[in-house]
Amino acid sequence: MKLCMIGTGYVGLVSGVCFSDLGNDVICVDKDINKINNLKKGIIPIYEPGLEELVLKNYKNKRLNFSTNLRDSVKKSDIVFICVGTPTKKNSNSADLTQVFSAGKEISKSINKFKIIINKSTVPVTTGDELEKIIAKKVNKKYFSVVSNPEFLREGEAIRDFIYPDRVVVGSNDKKSSKILKNLYSPLISKGAKFVSTNRRAAELIKYASNAFLATKISFINEIANLCEKTGIDVEDISIGIGLDKRIGSRFLRAGPAYGGSCFPKDTKAIVSTAEKFKINLSIIKSVIKSNNLRSHLLLKRLTLIMKNKIKNKKISFLGVTFKANTDDMRDSSSLELIPYLSKKGAKIKYYDPTGYKKEFKNLKNVEFSTSIGESIKGSDIVIIHTEWNDFKSINFKKFSKNKKLIIYDMRNIFSSSKIKKIGFKYFGIGR
Ligand code: UDX
């Protein structure tokens, strides 16, 4: 099929490239001419394992193309995916839909035959209805259908998540479009993905409810971890013990720092705000947001105790600053709270991240980037492991540190406390 992806951010680029790999002709459109020129040269704007190879392969065999010309690309396509950002509005918790609606306006100027317009951006319930109205101002409704097809791609695992999804959700108010979409996704459905066909509003809500539920699960285990720390229990045992109950499920039960990234913080706020418009109080999700907002403060309190209230002039090695491993994304990373606080308290921080230097810490006092794990750890009083990159899992602390009193604060529980203690260092994890 001929597809057009509007927006070459995470969702648009990964989905477009994967659709082309499945044999479709795909044009990825973006306003940013530099981004488009770079993509044509195989230069990828985001860090995503496996993406570069797929871009090069499919661009070379001409199934994948890049363009800044939205109207022309829409004209050439049967299905148009809107994959633009829906950030949180300034001074409000609701989603800013400006980009979705302006894409809709542009698309409406280029409809020359029947087209399915798919919203892949995460949007509040009823956005599809609004989009339909915008397009209907220019085009007769018989020439287009607005469908919701949310994505569930995790950064760092996006290609795998696209190829092997648990489910494909399509929300359409007309059967014909739903059938076409089922056909488009048939290579994934035949490999085991469930196809969930709903009306448009339900698909919009499935996306928000999924992210809000996962955020709830994480906050739940984080709070249980707080209790474990006071009662001599290892939270990992709790995660296994409850996760084996199929009604609960074992995934997303890893206790750690506050959840971050481009979705959970934004989407939990947006679903609460949407519900308020319908006079519904989502009190559980509100508590989750509150709990997560307090998380960094709690971890800093524990860190202060671990360091016996002496943070000033302490040398801290901070490993991993992005919001999780396998991404270069700093959006809503808890390091953005932890590092400035420690710098303000007079600590000397050397941070290392496999994805390199971060401009976010540029103006902080005594915060410098180390080019290797060893350089960051050398001479430090404490090592904070903030994300679970594989590179960190095999660190030989003895090799990098001569400090016999080295403390390790493992915020992702990637090490066994007994093993670290055996080599003579003090170890603290989360919920342990
Ligand atoms: C998320 C959703 O998982 C994906 O389906 C969606 O559509 C986009 O948002 P992403 O933000 O890439 O994906 O990351 P994810 O792996 O879900 O992690 C989100 C946050 O939760 C991270 O801060 C991560 O560290 C944290 N997390 C995740 C935990 O603390 N514990 C867990 O068990 C899982």
Side-chain angles (χ1 to χ4, degrees):
M1 299 201 88
K2 293 192 186 327
L3 315 179
C4 166
M5 317 301 290
I6 300 179
T8 57
Y10 238 98
V11 177
L13 186 58
V14 171
S15 309
V17 171
C18 290
F19 274 131
S20 72
D21 205 52
L22 291 176
N24 300 286
D25 290 323
V26 182
I27 313 175
C28 292
V29 181
D30 205 288
K31 281 181 190 158
D32 186 338
I33 187 154
N34 285 331
K35 216 174 178 185
I36 291 298
N37 286 339
N38 279 339
L39 280 164
K40 285 180 178 173
K41 289 182 214 146
I43 303 169
I44 315 294
I46 48 172
Y47 175 91
E48 184 61 39
L51 188 59
E52 189 181 321
E53 292 86 325
L54 277 191
V55 168
L56 290 171
K57 176 185 155 197
N58 289 290
Y59 184 64
K60 212 170 149 194
N61 67 26
K62 297 193 164 55
R63 280 204 300 258
L64 179 65
N65 218 329
F66 301 100
S67 172
T68 50
N69 191 335
L70 185 144
R71 291 204 201 165
D72 188 44
S73 308
V74 169
K75 274 186 192 147
K76 287 179 186 155
S77 309
D78 309 307
I79 304 180
V80 182
F81 286 86
I82 300 178
C83 310
V84 296
T86 53
T88 306
K89 267 187 194 163
K90 272 192 190 130
N91 308 322
S92 141
N93 281 336
S94 54
D96 181 350
L97 301 171
T98 318
Q99 294 183 63
V100 174
F101 294 146
S102 79
K105 264 186 213 152
E106 284 300 309
I107 293 167
S108 70
K109 293 174 193 161
S110 321
I111 295 183
N112 49 351
K113 57 174 184 173
F114 180 80
K115 288 187 200 295
I116 304 180
I117 320 293
I118 301 190
N119 202 353
K120 240 191 191 313
S121 303
T122 303
V123 293
V125 185
T126 69
T127 302
D129 305 0
E130 294 292 313
L131 194 59
E132 188 176 84
K133 273 186 212 153
I134 288 172
I135 300 173
K137 279 186 189 158
K138 277 240 174 294
V139 187
N140 188 309
K141 275 192 187 168
K142 68 179 180 199
Y143 291 117
F144 75 95
S145 173
V146 173
V147 171
S148 166
N149 171 220
E151 58 76 27
F152 302 98
L153 311 176
R154 284 166 302 162
E155 292 184 16
E157 317 270 349
I159 291 169
R160 201 198 151 276
D161 283 352
F162 185 93
I163 302 171
Y164 302 105
D166 292 336
R167 80 302 203 187
V168 172
V169 176
V170 170
S172 170
N173 293 350
D174 77 276
K175 284 207 176 96
K176 182 180 151 194
S177 301
S178 183
K179 228 172 141 184
I180 294 173
L181 265 279
K182 191 170 182 182
N183 189 33
L184 176 68
Y185 279 106
S186 60
L188 312 184
I189 298 166
S190 65
K191 276 195 236 149
K194 294 266 184 303
F195 185 74
V196 182
S197 172
T198 65
N199 72 19
R200 193 167 57 210
R201 288 185 178 186
E204 289 171 339
L205 189 54
I206 285 170
K207 167 69 193 208
Y208 273 129
S210 296
N211 276 355
F213 189 83
L214 292 171
T216 305
K217 222 175 160 185
I218 296 166
S219 294
F220 178 85
I221 201 67
N222 283 343
E223 290 201 353
I224 296 293
N226 297 341
L227 179 59
C228 289
E229 282 168 17
K230 298 281 180 199
T231 47
I233 297 168
D234 188 336
V235 71
E236 302 291 312
D237 289 339
I238 306 299
S239 298
I240 294 167
I242 64 173
L244 284 170
D245 183 330
K246 287 203 176 71
R247 292 170 298 176
I248 296 174
S250 58
R251 296 176 72 190
F252 278 69
L253 278 182
R254 291 189 324 273
Y259 63 72
S262 64
C263 293
F264 289 176
K266 163 177 87 73
D267 295 350
T268 42
K269 281 190 266 179
I271 191 175
V272 166
S273 155
T274 302
E276 274 165 3
K277 278 188 199 140
F278 293 93
K279 303 210 172 356
I280 294 298
N281 179 21
L282 296 179
S283 65
I284 294 175
I285 305 175
K286 280 186 187 167
S287 305
V288 168
I289 296 170
K290 203 168 157 198
S291 173
N292 198 58
N293 286 343
L294 286 174
R295 184 95 192 124
S296 295
H297 173 75
L298 264 180
L299 295 196
L300 284 167
K301 215 168 135 190
R302 184 156 191 241
L303 180 63
T304 309
L305 276 178
I306 291 170
M307 298 179 77
K308 302 199 168 79
N309 281 319
K310 287 178 197 138
I311 293 180
K312 196 161 186 212
N313 293 325
K314 286 283 181 216
K315 292 180 185 129
I316 300 179
S317 156
F318 201 102
L319 301 181
V321 292
T322 52
F323 80 95
K324 64 169 191 178
N326 302 318
T327 178
D328 60 355
D329 200 336
M330 288 296 290
R331 282 177 287 178
D332 270 308
S333 169
S334 61
S335 73
L336 296 170
E337 271 193 74
L338 304 177
I339 291 183
Y341 176 90
L342 295 168
S343 145
K344 217 169 154 196
K345 289 282 170 192
K348 295 183 170 151
I349 301 160
K350 287 201 277 176
Y351 75 90
Y352 169 76
D353 193 282
T355 61
Y357 167 84
K358 303 292 169 208
K359 61 179 185 326
E360 285 81 355
F361 305 121
K362 185 170 79 186
N363 297 322
L364 295 182
K365 216 175 152 193
N366 287 325
V367 177
E368 59 176 79
F369 173 65
S370 297
T371 51
S372 70
I373 298 173
E375 193 193 310
S376 169
I377 295 179
K378 201 173 151 196
S380 61
D381 298 299
I382 181 163
V383 179
I384 296 176
I385 297 160
H386 178 255
T387 56
E388 66 252 76
W389 284 86
N390 279 340
D391 316 34
F392 302 156
K393 291 180 183 162
S394 53
I395 295 176
N396 181 345
F397 292 99
K398 266 209 155 145
K399 182 177 147 196
F400 295 132
S401 176
K402 302 270 168 283
N403 176 6
K404 289 207 167 66
K405 290 186 177 154
L406 182 71
I407 302 170
I408 289 145
Y409 189 11
D410 174 8
M411 294 187 173
R412 300 284 179 170
N413 292 345
I414 60 177
F415 288 98
S416 132
S417 59
S418 55
K419 271 193 193 156
I420 299 282
K421 281 177 190 157
K422 236 185 228 162
I423 54 170
F425 297 132
K426 270 204 170 147
Y427 176 89
F428 298 89
I430 296 281
R432 293 173 151 179

